Amino acid sequence: MQILSDHKMFEGHQRIYLHESEACRTEMRFGLYVPPDVDAATAPILIWLSGLTCTEQNFITKAGAQRKAAELGMILVAPDTSPRGDAVPDAPDAAYDLGLGAGFYVDATQKPWDQHYRMEHYIARELPALLAQELGLGSAQEGSGKMGIAGHSMGGHGALVLHFRHPDLFKTVSAFAPIVAPTMVPWGEKAFTAYLGADREKWRAYDACALVGTYKSTAHILIDQGLADDFLDSQLQPHLFEQACAEAGQALTLRRLDGYDHSYYFIASFIDDHLIHNARGLTGATG
């Protein structure tokens, strides 16, 4: 792995790493914030999954999460949202919601996407192994009980789905404005048709509303949703997940926040709450 940048921040270090990915068959980047005076072998880790069009930069430069992470002693990991590079296929029309920047955190099964778009394997297998083996972050090991996952929009979808599918790896979960029912909204229908094929039954494996009734989670899920979000009714529909959680007996706090939109202004306003929520579940810390 190469360190592309290293900036001191709140007495810790914000770094960007570059490495060759076996899962995605291309170079991948991720941001890593390590607070001061933490034991890398035991410190809790929060994986952040960003939304459509984002890279590893959006979260680390806009969310303002490092200050609270330093207080909590929590390591932050912010991977890119999809594979990139000249050999990686993109949408024919360069659409923002398919292809580069729009991996949807699934393992694609359809050509030409299946050779590179293996984001579930990357996030849930390859990246944790790199964090543990190459950087000594012991909490990235499956079964440690000290790694959580969070995200925004497409990344919120990824956080919920990967938590349900890998509960021994991601003990806690939270999300901002997640796509909770991708099988029923345009963003998900477009991406899943391309990446997973026409069989809609197979899509359910990556739909949080379907998974909550199948996979048992001991986590208390936190979701924040702005009521001024332009995508609320057309793409997000959090009430569907709220209903699915109620039917499944899944613990959920869904906060509907008046006046907030889909932007990082919204995320920056409540990111501390999400770090505390995950730290509480991972270590008992209250912030």
Side-chain angles (χ1 to χ4, degrees):
M1 290 194 295
Q2 301 177 48
I3 298 178
L4 299 182
S5 63
D6 184 352
H7 300 281
K8 189 171 183 179
M9 192 174 191
F10 301 114
E11 301 303 316
H13 285 268
Q14 177 65 64
R15 300 185 176 102
I16 302 294
Y17 284 88
L18 174 71
H19 70 97
E20 284 288 339
S21 168
E22 293 183 5
C24 298
R25 299 184 180 183
T26 187
E27 291 182 335
M28 294 291 287
R29 299 185 184 207
F30 64 90
L32 177 72
Y33 179 71
V34 180
D37 303 321
V38 298
D39 182 351
T42 60
I45 298 170
L46 184 66
I47 304 286
W48 174 269
L49 305 182
S50 290
L52 291 165
T53 76
C54 293
T55 70
E56 78 286 343
Q57 288 291 328
N58 294 73
F59 178 71
I60 67 175
T61 59
K62 295 181 180 180
Q66 293 93 339
R67 183 191 298 272
K68 180 55 70 174
E71 294 175 7
L72 294 169
M74 173 179 278
I75 294 170
L76 302 177
V77 181
D80 201 350
T81 53
S82 78
R84 300 179 191 272
D86 293 339
V88 176
D90 195 8
D93 57 354
Y96 77 96
D97 53 358
L98 184 68
L100 301 185
F104 270 84
Y105 305 102
V106 305
D107 283 351
T109 60
Q110 305 299 301
K111 295 184 182 303
W113 314 101
D114 58 339
Q115 294 301 303
H116 297 279
Y117 285 74
R118 302 184 65 227
M119 288 301 293
E120 178 184 18
H121 189 93
Y122 177 72
I123 299 295
R125 298 301 180 202
E126 184 174 12
L127 183 58
L130 283 171
L131 296 174
Q133 297 167 13
E134 301 295 328
L135 299 178
L137 306 186
S139 296
Q141 296 176 334
E142 187 167 2
S144 73
K146 297 189 73 176
M147 185 158 66
I149 192 165
H152 169 232
S153 193
M154 179 186 72
H157 142 76
L160 293 171
V161 165
L162 295 184
H163 165 71
F164 285 125
R165 289 173 62 87
H166 304 276
D168 292 336
L169 182 64
F170 303 116
K171 182 181 177 183
T172 63
V173 62
S174 67
F176 287 85
I179 306 169
V180 298
T183 64
M184 293 183 276
V185 299
W187 274 341
E189 290 175 332
K190 180 177 182 177
F192 285 9
T193 299
Y195 297 151
L196 304 176
D199 185 352
R200 300 177 72 97
E201 186 61 29
K202 294 180 179 179
W203 299 1
R204 292 172 56 83
Y206 291 104
D207 186 303
C209 287
L211 293 176
V212 71
T214 304
Y215 291 78
K216 299 300 181 183
S217 168
T218 60
H220 189 123
I221 299 171
L222 171 64
I223 291 177
D224 278 348
Q225 175 62 62
L227 294 182
D229 191 321
D230 289 340
F231 304 111
L232 177 58
D233 295 329
S234 60
Q235 305 282 10
L236 306 178
Q237 302 189 22
H239 66 281
L240 296 177
F241 188 65
E242 185 176 44
Q243 179 180 343
C245 285
E247 293 173 354
Q250 172 65 52
L252 169 70
T253 296
L254 171 56
R255 304 194 302 189
R256 294 175 169 89
L257 299 162
D258 188 48
Y260 287 93
D261 58 21
H262 201 70
S263 72
Y264 265 83
Y265 296 110
F266 169 43
I267 294 171
S269 298
F270 299 100
I271 190 63
D272 285 4
D273 292 349
H274 285 247
L275 297 188
I276 293 169
H277 166 83
N278 284 281
R280 183 181 296 121
L282 298 174
T283 68
T286 61

PDB file of all heavy atoms in Angstrom, residues 119-154:
ATOM      1  N   MET A 119     -18.067  -4.778  -4.885  1.00  0.00           N
ATOM      2  CA  MET A 119     -17.906  -3.895  -3.735  1.00  0.00           C
ATOM      3  C   MET A 119     -18.260  -4.558  -2.411  1.00  0.00           C
ATOM      4  O   MET A 119     -17.686  -4.214  -1.374  1.00  0.00           O
ATOM      5  CB  MET A 119     -18.734  -2.624  -3.934  1.00  0.00           C
ATOM      6  CG  MET A 119     -18.157  -1.687  -4.988  1.00  0.00           C
ATOM      7  SD  MET A 119     -16.472  -1.119  -4.613  1.00  0.00           S
ATOM      8  CE  MET A 119     -16.778  -0.097  -3.165  1.00  0.00           C
ATOM      9  N   GLU A 120     -19.200  -5.491  -2.402  1.00  0.00           N
ATOM     10  CA  GLU A 120     -19.461  -6.199  -1.142  1.00  0.00           C
ATOM     11  C   GLU A 120     -18.221  -6.960  -0.704  1.00  0.00           C
ATOM     12  O   GLU A 120     -17.813  -6.894   0.470  1.00  0.00           O
ATOM     13  CB  GLU A 120     -20.638  -7.176  -1.272  1.00  0.00           C
ATOM     14  CG  GLU A 120     -20.862  -7.929   0.037  1.00  0.00           C
ATOM     15  CD  GLU A 120     -21.942  -8.995  -0.020  1.00  0.00           C
ATOM     16  OE1 GLU A 120     -22.311  -9.420  -1.130  1.00  0.00           O
ATOM     17  OE2 GLU A 120     -22.405  -9.419   1.047  1.00  0.00           O
ATOM     18  N   HIS A 121     -17.616  -7.705  -1.619  1.00  0.00           N
ATOM     19  CA  HIS A 121     -16.412  -8.465  -1.277  1.00  0.00           C
ATOM     20  C   HIS A 121     -15.300  -7.516  -0.831  1.00  0.00           C
ATOM     21  O   HIS A 121     -14.560  -7.821   0.127  1.00  0.00           O
ATOM     22  CB  HIS A 121     -15.951  -9.291  -2.479  1.00  0.00           C
ATOM     23  CG  HIS A 121     -14.868 -10.265  -2.158  1.00  0.00           C
ATOM     24  ND1 HIS A 121     -15.119 -11.569  -1.803  1.00  0.00           N
ATOM     25  CD2 HIS A 121     -13.526 -10.115  -2.106  1.00  0.00           C
ATOM     26  CE1 HIS A 121     -13.980 -12.185  -1.560  1.00  0.00           C
ATOM     27  NE2 HIS A 121     -12.996 -11.321  -1.746  1.00  0.00           N
ATOM     28  N   TYR A 122     -15.195  -6.381  -1.491  1.00  0.00           N
ATOM     29  CA  TYR A 122     -14.144  -5.430  -1.138  1.00  0.00           C
ATOM     30  C   TYR A 122     -14.352  -4.880   0.273  1.00  0.00           C
ATOM     31  O   TYR A 122     -13.427  -4.872   1.092  1.00  0.00           O
ATOM     32  CB  TYR A 122     -14.107  -4.277  -2.145  1.00  0.00           C
ATOM     33  CG  TYR A 122     -13.068  -3.231  -1.783  1.00  0.00           C
ATOM     34  CD1 TYR A 122     -11.714  -3.498  -1.919  1.00  0.00           C
ATOM     35  CD2 TYR A 122     -13.449  -1.984  -1.292  1.00  0.00           C
ATOM     36  CE1 TYR A 122     -10.759  -2.559  -1.572  1.00  0.00           C
ATOM     37  CE2 TYR A 122     -12.497  -1.036  -0.943  1.00  0.00           C
ATOM     38  CZ  TYR A 122     -11.154  -1.326  -1.078  1.00  0.00           C
ATOM     39  OH  TYR A 122     -10.208  -0.393  -0.721  1.00  0.00           O
ATOM     40  N   ILE A 123     -15.572  -4.425   0.570  1.00  0.00           N
ATOM     41  CA  ILE A 123     -15.835  -3.792   1.863  1.00  0.00           C
ATOM     42  C   ILE A 123     -15.848  -4.810   3.001  1.00  0.00           C
ATOM     43  O   ILE A 123     -15.333  -4.537   4.094  1.00  0.00           O
ATOM     44  CB  ILE A 123     -17.180  -3.028   1.840  1.00  0.00           C
ATOM     45  CG1 ILE A 123     -17.154  -1.913   0.784  1.00  0.00           C
ATOM     46  CG2 ILE A 123     -17.502  -2.460   3.223  1.00  0.00           C
ATOM     47  CD1 ILE A 123     -16.156  -0.818   1.059  1.00  0.00           C
ATOM     48  N   ALA A 124     -16.426  -5.963   2.762  1.00  0.00           N
ATOM     49  CA  ALA A 124     -16.631  -6.930   3.847  1.00  0.00           C
ATOM     50  C   ALA A 124     -15.503  -7.944   3.990  1.00  0.00           C
ATOM     51  O   ALA A 124     -15.421  -8.613   5.023  1.00  0.00           O
ATOM     52  CB  ALA A 124     -17.958  -7.670   3.647  1.00  0.00           C
ATOM     53  N   ARG A 125     -14.637  -8.077   2.995  1.00  0.00           N
ATOM     54  CA  ARG A 125     -13.572  -9.077   3.060  1.00  0.00           C
ATOM     55  C   ARG A 125     -12.182  -8.464   2.855  1.00  0.00           C
ATOM     56  O   ARG A 125     -11.331  -8.539   3.731  1.00  0.00           O
ATOM     57  CB  ARG A 125     -13.814 -10.177   2.010  1.00  0.00           C
ATOM     58  CG  ARG A 125     -15.113 -10.944   2.221  1.00  0.00           C
ATOM     59  CD  ARG A 125     -15.161 -11.622   3.573  1.00  0.00           C
ATOM     60  NE  ARG A 125     -16.410 -12.369   3.767  1.00  0.00           N
ATOM     61  CZ  ARG A 125     -16.892 -12.691   4.966  1.00  0.00           C
ATOM     62  NH1 ARG A 125     -16.268 -12.320   6.069  1.00  0.00           N
ATOM     63  NH2 ARG A 125     -18.028 -13.366   5.060  1.00  0.00           N
ATOM     64  N   GLU A 126     -11.962  -7.880   1.678  1.00  0.00           N
ATOM     65  CA  GLU A 126     -10.605  -7.432   1.360  1.00  0.00           C
ATOM     66  C   GLU A 126     -10.156  -6.274   2.230  1.00  0.00           C
ATOM     67  O   GLU A 126      -9.031  -6.287   2.777  1.00  0.00           O
ATOM     68  CB  GLU A 126     -10.509  -7.048  -0.116  1.00  0.00           C
ATOM     69  CG  GLU A 126      -9.097  -6.676  -0.532  1.00  0.00           C
ATOM     70  CD  GLU A 126      -8.950  -6.425  -2.024  1.00  0.00           C
ATOM     71  OE1 GLU A 126      -9.983  -6.320  -2.722  1.00  0.00           O
ATOM     72  OE2 GLU A 126      -7.803  -6.326  -2.481  1.00  0.00           O
ATOM     73  N   LEU A 127     -10.977  -5.246   2.364  1.00  0.00           N
ATOM     74  CA  LEU A 127     -10.575  -4.076   3.140  1.00  0.00           C
ATOM     75  C   LEU A 127     -10.334  -4.410   4.613  1.00  0.00           C
ATOM     76  O   LEU A 127      -9.293  -4.006   5.156  1.00  0.00           O
ATOM     77  CB  LEU A 127     -11.610  -2.964   2.981  1.00  0.00           C
ATOM     78  CG  LEU A 127     -11.289  -1.639   3.683  1.00  0.00           C
ATOM     79  CD1 LEU A 127      -9.958  -1.064   3.217  1.00  0.00           C
ATOM     80  CD2 LEU A 127     -12.420  -0.630   3.470  1.00  0.00           C
ATOM     81  N   PRO A 128     -11.228  -5.133   5.298  1.00  0.00           N
ATOM     82  CA  PRO A 128     -10.924  -5.495   6.684  1.00  0.00           C
ATOM     83  C   PRO A 128      -9.628  -6.288   6.828  1.00  0.00           C
ATOM     84  O   PRO A 128      -8.874  -6.095   7.792  1.00  0.00           O
ATOM     85  CB  PRO A 128     -12.140  -6.320   7.103  1.00  0.00           C
ATOM     86  CG  PRO A 128     -13.241  -5.818   6.250  1.00  0.00           C
ATOM     87  CD  PRO A 128     -12.599  -5.522   4.925  1.00  0.00           C
ATOM     88  N   ALA A 129      -9.362  -7.177   5.873  1.00  0.00           N
ATOM     89  CA  ALA A 129      -8.118  -7.952   5.935  1.00  0.00           C
ATOM     90  C   ALA A 129      -6.906  -7.042   5.811  1.00  0.00           C
ATOM     91  O   ALA A 129      -5.902  -7.201   6.521  1.00  0.00           O
ATOM     92  CB  ALA A 129      -8.108  -9.017   4.843  1.00  0.00           C
ATOM     93  N   LEU A 130      -6.962  -6.061   4.911  1.00  0.00           N
ATOM     94  CA  LEU A 130      -5.867  -5.106   4.773  1.00  0.00           C
ATOM     95  C   LEU A 130      -5.672  -4.302   6.054  1.00  0.00           C
ATOM     96  O   LEU A 130      -4.544  -4.094   6.508  1.00  0.00           O
ATOM     97  CB  LEU A 130      -6.145  -4.157   3.612  1.00  0.00           C
ATOM     98  CG  LEU A 130      -5.927  -4.674   2.196  1.00  0.00           C
ATOM     99  CD1 LEU A 130      -6.454  -3.667   1.190  1.00  0.00           C
ATOM    100  CD2 LEU A 130      -4.454  -4.943   1.948  1.00  0.00           C
ATOM    101  N   LEU A 131      -6.780  -3.843   6.632  1.00  0.00           N
ATOM    102  CA  LEU A 131      -6.688  -3.043   7.855  1.00  0.00           C
ATOM    103  C   LEU A 131      -6.047  -3.849   8.983  1.00  0.00           C
ATOM    104  O   LEU A 131      -5.227  -3.326   9.753  1.00  0.00           O
ATOM    105  CB  LEU A 131      -8.081  -2.577   8.280  1.00  0.00           C
ATOM    106  CG  LEU A 131      -8.801  -1.628   7.324  1.00  0.00           C
ATOM    107  CD1 LEU A 131     -10.216  -1.360   7.804  1.00  0.00           C
ATOM    108  CD2 LEU A 131      -8.043  -0.321   7.150  1.00  0.00           C
ATOM    109  N   ALA A 132      -6.421  -5.114   9.083  1.00  0.00           N
ATOM    110  CA  ALA A 132      -5.890  -5.945  10.156  1.00  0.00           C
ATOM    111  C   ALA A 132      -4.458  -6.383   9.891  1.00  0.00           C
ATOM    112  O   ALA A 132      -3.575  -6.257  10.761  1.00  0.00           O
ATOM    113  CB  ALA A 132      -6.799  -7.164  10.358  1.00  0.00           C
ATOM    114  N   GLN A 133      -4.201  -6.892   8.700  1.00  0.00           N
ATOM    115  CA  GLN A 133      -2.909  -7.516   8.419  1.00  0.00           C
ATOM    116  C   GLN A 133      -1.823  -6.505   8.064  1.00  0.00           C
ATOM    117  O   GLN A 133      -0.663  -6.671   8.467  1.00  0.00           O
ATOM    118  CB  GLN A 133      -3.070  -8.524   7.291  1.00  0.00           C
ATOM    119  CG  GLN A 133      -3.998  -9.682   7.640  1.00  0.00           C
ATOM    120  CD  GLN A 133      -4.401 -10.512   6.441  1.00  0.00           C
ATOM    121  OE1 GLN A 133      -3.819 -10.405   5.362  1.00  0.00           O
ATOM    122  NE2 GLN A 133      -5.426 -11.350   6.604  1.00  0.00           N
ATOM    123  N   GLU A 134      -2.168  -5.472   7.313  1.00  0.00           N
ATOM    124  CA  GLU A 134      -1.168  -4.516   6.861  1.00  0.00           C
ATOM    125  C   GLU A 134      -0.998  -3.331   7.806  1.00  0.00           C
ATOM    126  O   GLU A 134       0.092  -2.767   7.905  1.00  0.00           O
ATOM    127  CB  GLU A 134      -1.523  -3.994   5.470  1.00  0.00           C
ATOM    128  CG  GLU A 134      -1.621  -5.071   4.391  1.00  0.00           C
ATOM    129  CD  GLU A 134      -0.293  -5.745   4.127  1.00  0.00           C
ATOM    130  OE1 GLU A 134       0.748  -5.079   4.262  1.00  0.00           O
ATOM    131  OE2 GLU A 134      -0.296  -6.949   3.792  1.00  0.00           O
ATOM    132  N   LEU A 135      -2.074  -2.949   8.496  1.00  0.00           N
ATOM    133  CA  LEU A 135      -2.018  -1.763   9.348  1.00  0.00           C
ATOM    134  C   LEU A 135      -2.166  -2.075  10.830  1.00  0.00           C
ATOM    135  O   LEU A 135      -2.132  -1.172  11.664  1.00  0.00           O
ATOM    136  CB  LEU A 135      -3.096  -0.760   8.916  1.00  0.00           C
ATOM    137  CG  LEU A 135      -2.970  -0.238   7.485  1.00  0.00           C
ATOM    138  CD1 LEU A 135      -4.118   0.702   7.151  1.00  0.00           C
ATOM    139  CD2 LEU A 135      -1.630   0.456   7.271  1.00  0.00           C
ATOM    140  N   GLY A 136      -2.367  -3.342  11.173  1.00  0.00           N
ATOM    141  CA  GLY A 136      -2.424  -3.739  12.579  1.00  0.00           C
ATOM    142  C   GLY A 136      -3.682  -3.325  13.310  1.00  0.00           C
ATOM    143  O   GLY A 136      -3.685  -3.249  14.548  1.00  0.00           O
ATOM    144  N   LEU A 137      -4.768  -3.072  12.570  1.00  0.00           N
ATOM    145  CA  LEU A 137      -6.026  -2.665  13.207  1.00  0.00           C
ATOM    146  C   LEU A 137      -6.812  -3.918  13.573  1.00  0.00           C
ATOM    147  O   LEU A 137      -7.594  -4.453  12.789  1.00  0.00           O
ATOM    148  CB  LEU A 137      -6.836  -1.761  12.279  1.00  0.00           C
ATOM    149  CG  LEU A 137      -6.104  -0.532  11.731  1.00  0.00           C
ATOM    150  CD1 LEU A 137      -7.068   0.357  10.956  1.00  0.00           C
ATOM    151  CD2 LEU A 137      -5.421   0.244  12.843  1.00  0.00           C
ATOM    152  N   GLY A 138      -6.618  -4.383  14.783  1.00  0.00           N
ATOM    153  CA  GLY A 138      -7.183  -5.660  15.208  1.00  0.00           C
ATOM    154  C   GLY A 138      -8.691  -5.701  15.208  1.00  0.00           C
ATOM    155  O   GLY A 138      -9.288  -6.764  15.023  1.00  0.00           O
ATOM    156  N   SER A 139      -9.331  -4.558  15.404  1.00  0.00           N
ATOM    157  CA  SER A 139     -10.791  -4.534  15.471  1.00  0.00           C
ATOM    158  C   SER A 139     -11.444  -4.782  14.116  1.00  0.00           C
ATOM    159  O   SER A 139     -12.662  -4.952  14.047  1.00  0.00           O
ATOM    160  CB  SER A 139     -11.266  -3.187  16.038  1.00  0.00           C
ATOM    161  OG  SER A 139     -10.810  -3.038  17.371  1.00  0.00           O
ATOM    162  N   ALA A 140     -10.653  -4.800  13.040  1.00  0.00           N
ATOM    163  CA  ALA A 140     -11.194  -5.096  11.713  1.00  0.00           C
ATOM    164  C   ALA A 140     -11.387  -6.586  11.485  1.00  0.00           C
ATOM    165  O   ALA A 140     -11.943  -6.985  10.463  1.00  0.00           O
ATOM    166  CB  ALA A 140     -10.277  -4.532  10.638  1.00  0.00           C
ATOM    167  N   GLN A 141     -10.951  -7.408  12.420  1.00  0.00           N
ATOM    168  CA  GLN A 141     -11.095  -8.844  12.272  1.00  0.00           C
ATOM    169  C   GLN A 141     -12.522  -9.275  12.598  1.00  0.00           C
ATOM    170  O   GLN A 141     -13.135  -8.803  13.556  1.00  0.00           O
ATOM    171  CB  GLN A 141     -10.114  -9.572  13.180  1.00  0.00           C
ATOM    172  CG  GLN A 141      -8.660  -9.322  12.818  1.00  0.00           C
ATOM    173  CD  GLN A 141      -7.693  -9.961  13.777  1.00  0.00           C
ATOM    174  OE1 GLN A 141      -8.015 -10.181  14.945  1.00  0.00           O
ATOM    175  NE2 GLN A 141      -6.494 -10.263  13.314  1.00  0.00           N
ATOM    176  N   GLU A 142     -13.054 -10.175  11.801  1.00  0.00           N
ATOM    177  CA  GLU A 142     -14.404 -10.676  12.032  1.00  0.00           C
ATOM    178  C   GLU A 142     -14.491 -11.313  13.408  1.00  0.00           C
ATOM    179  O   GLU A 142     -13.622 -12.073  13.818  1.00  0.00           O
ATOM    180  CB  GLU A 142     -14.793 -11.691  10.964  1.00  0.00           C
ATOM    181  CG  GLU A 142     -16.243 -12.128  11.030  1.00  0.00           C
ATOM    182  CD  GLU A 142     -16.684 -12.870   9.796  1.00  0.00           C
ATOM    183  OE1 GLU A 142     -15.849 -13.088   8.893  1.00  0.00           O
ATOM    184  OE2 GLU A 142     -17.879 -13.213   9.717  1.00  0.00           O
ATOM    185  N   GLY A 143     -15.557 -10.981  14.130  1.00  0.00           N
ATOM    186  CA  GLY A 143     -15.758 -11.521  15.461  1.00  0.00           C
ATOM    187  C   GLY A 143     -15.177 -10.668  16.572  1.00  0.00           C
ATOM    188  O   GLY A 143     -15.384 -10.971  17.746  1.00  0.00           O
ATOM    189  N   SER A 144     -14.471  -9.573  16.221  1.00  0.00           N
ATOM    190  CA  SER A 144     -13.888  -8.726  17.265  1.00  0.00           C
ATOM    191  C   SER A 144     -14.967  -7.978  18.038  1.00  0.00           C
ATOM    192  O   SER A 144     -14.788  -7.627  19.201  1.00  0.00           O
ATOM    193  CB  SER A 144     -12.908  -7.718  16.657  1.00  0.00           C
ATOM    194  OG  SER A 144     -13.603  -6.692  15.955  1.00  0.00           O
ATOM    195  N   GLY A 145     -16.093  -7.698  17.360  1.00  0.00           N
ATOM    196  CA  GLY A 145     -17.165  -6.959  18.010  1.00  0.00           C
ATOM    197  C   GLY A 145     -16.871  -5.490  18.189  1.00  0.00           C
ATOM    198  O   GLY A 145     -17.569  -4.800  18.937  1.00  0.00           O
ATOM    199  N   LYS A 146     -15.862  -4.958  17.479  1.00  0.00           N
ATOM    200  CA  LYS A 146     -15.485  -3.564  17.669  1.00  0.00           C
ATOM    201  C   LYS A 146     -15.400  -2.793  16.363  1.00  0.00           C
ATOM    202  O   LYS A 146     -14.674  -1.819  16.244  1.00  0.00           O
ATOM    203  CB  LYS A 146     -14.158  -3.479  18.430  1.00  0.00           C
ATOM    204  CG  LYS A 146     -14.245  -4.060  19.839  1.00  0.00           C
ATOM    205  CD  LYS A 146     -13.004  -3.776  20.657  1.00  0.00           C
ATOM    206  CE  LYS A 146     -12.936  -2.323  21.068  1.00  0.00           C
ATOM    207  NZ  LYS A 146     -11.768  -2.056  21.950  1.00  0.00           N
ATOM    208  N   MET A 147     -16.160  -3.252  15.365  1.00  0.00           N
ATOM    209  CA  MET A 147     -16.231  -2.495  14.114  1.00  0.00           C
ATOM    210  C   MET A 147     -17.692  -2.267  13.746  1.00  0.00           C
ATOM    211  O   MET A 147     -18.504  -3.198  13.758  1.00  0.00           O
ATOM    212  CB  MET A 147     -15.504  -3.213  12.980  1.00  0.00           C
ATOM    213  CG  MET A 147     -15.456  -2.378  11.686  1.00  0.00           C
ATOM    214  SD  MET A 147     -14.138  -2.826  10.533  1.00  0.00           S
ATOM    215  CE  MET A 147     -14.668  -4.462  10.057  1.00  0.00           C
ATOM    216  N   GLY A 148     -17.994  -1.010  13.404  1.00  0.00           N
ATOM    217  CA  GLY A 148     -19.334  -0.658  12.963  1.00  0.00           C
ATOM    218  C   GLY A 148     -19.299  -0.122  11.547  1.00  0.00           C
ATOM    219  O   GLY A 148     -18.231   0.066  10.952  1.00  0.00           O
ATOM    220  N   ILE A 149     -20.491   0.145  11.014  1.00  0.00           N
ATOM    221  CA  ILE A 149     -20.588   0.634   9.642  1.00  0.00           C
ATOM    222  C   ILE A 149     -21.702   1.680   9.558  1.00  0.00           C
ATOM    223  O   ILE A 149     -22.737   1.560  10.220  1.00  0.00           O
ATOM    224  CB  ILE A 149     -20.832  -0.540   8.660  1.00  0.00           C
ATOM    225  CG1 ILE A 149     -20.637  -0.107   7.213  1.00  0.00           C
ATOM    226  CG2 ILE A 149     -22.188  -1.195   8.893  1.00  0.00           C
ATOM    227  CD1 ILE A 149     -20.498  -1.273   6.244  1.00  0.00           C
ATOM    228  N   ALA A 150     -21.459   2.723   8.777  1.00  0.00           N
ATOM    229  CA  ALA A 150     -22.429   3.803   8.605  1.00  0.00           C
ATOM    230  C   ALA A 150     -22.300   4.330   7.193  1.00  0.00           C
ATOM    231  O   ALA A 150     -21.323   4.042   6.489  1.00  0.00           O
ATOM    232  CB  ALA A 150     -22.177   4.917   9.619  1.00  0.00           C
ATOM    233  N   GLY A 151     -23.288   5.116   6.764  1.00  0.00           N
ATOM    234  CA  GLY A 151     -23.199   5.658   5.421  1.00  0.00           C
ATOM    235  C   GLY A 151     -24.336   6.598   5.095  1.00  0.00           C
ATOM    236  O   GLY A 151     -25.269   6.784   5.883  1.00  0.00           O
ATOM    237  N   HIS A 152     -24.256   7.154   3.885  1.00  0.00           N
ATOM    238  CA  HIS A 152     -25.199   8.164   3.430  1.00  0.00           C
ATOM    239  C   HIS A 152     -25.771   7.770   2.077  1.00  0.00           C
ATOM    240  O   HIS A 152     -25.029   7.396   1.168  1.00  0.00           O
ATOM    241  CB  HIS A 152     -24.469   9.511   3.309  1.00  0.00           C
ATOM    242  CG  HIS A 152     -25.232  10.577   2.603  1.00  0.00           C
ATOM    243  ND1 HIS A 152     -24.713  11.299   1.544  1.00  0.00           N
ATOM    244  CD2 HIS A 152     -26.488  11.060   2.799  1.00  0.00           C
ATOM    245  CE1 HIS A 152     -25.602  12.184   1.131  1.00  0.00           C
ATOM    246  NE2 HIS A 152     -26.694  12.057   1.860  1.00  0.00           N
ATOM    247  N   SER A 153     -27.090   7.811   1.937  1.00  0.00           N
ATOM    248  CA  SER A 153     -27.779   7.601   0.668  1.00  0.00           C
ATOM    249  C   SER A 153     -27.449   6.215   0.115  1.00  0.00           C
ATOM    250  O   SER A 153     -27.781   5.205   0.747  1.00  0.00           O
ATOM    251  CB  SER A 153     -27.415   8.726  -0.307  1.00  0.00           C
ATOM    252  OG  SER A 153     -28.266   8.740  -1.418  1.00  0.00           O
ATOM    253  N   MET A 154     -26.791   6.106  -1.045  1.00  0.00           N
ATOM    254  CA  MET A 154     -26.360   4.799  -1.523  1.00  0.00           C
ATOM    255  C   MET A 154     -25.485   4.113  -0.483  1.00  0.00           C
ATOM    256  O   MET A 154     -25.540   2.893  -0.305  1.00  0.00           O
ATOM    257  CB  MET A 154     -25.599   4.943  -2.832  1.00  0.00           C
ATOM    258  CG  MET A 154     -25.073   3.638  -3.417  1.00  0.00           C
ATOM    259  SD  MET A 154     -24.029   3.875  -4.893  1.00  0.00           S
ATOM    260  CE  MET A 154     -22.543   4.574  -4.152  1.00  0.00           C
TER     261      MET A 154
END
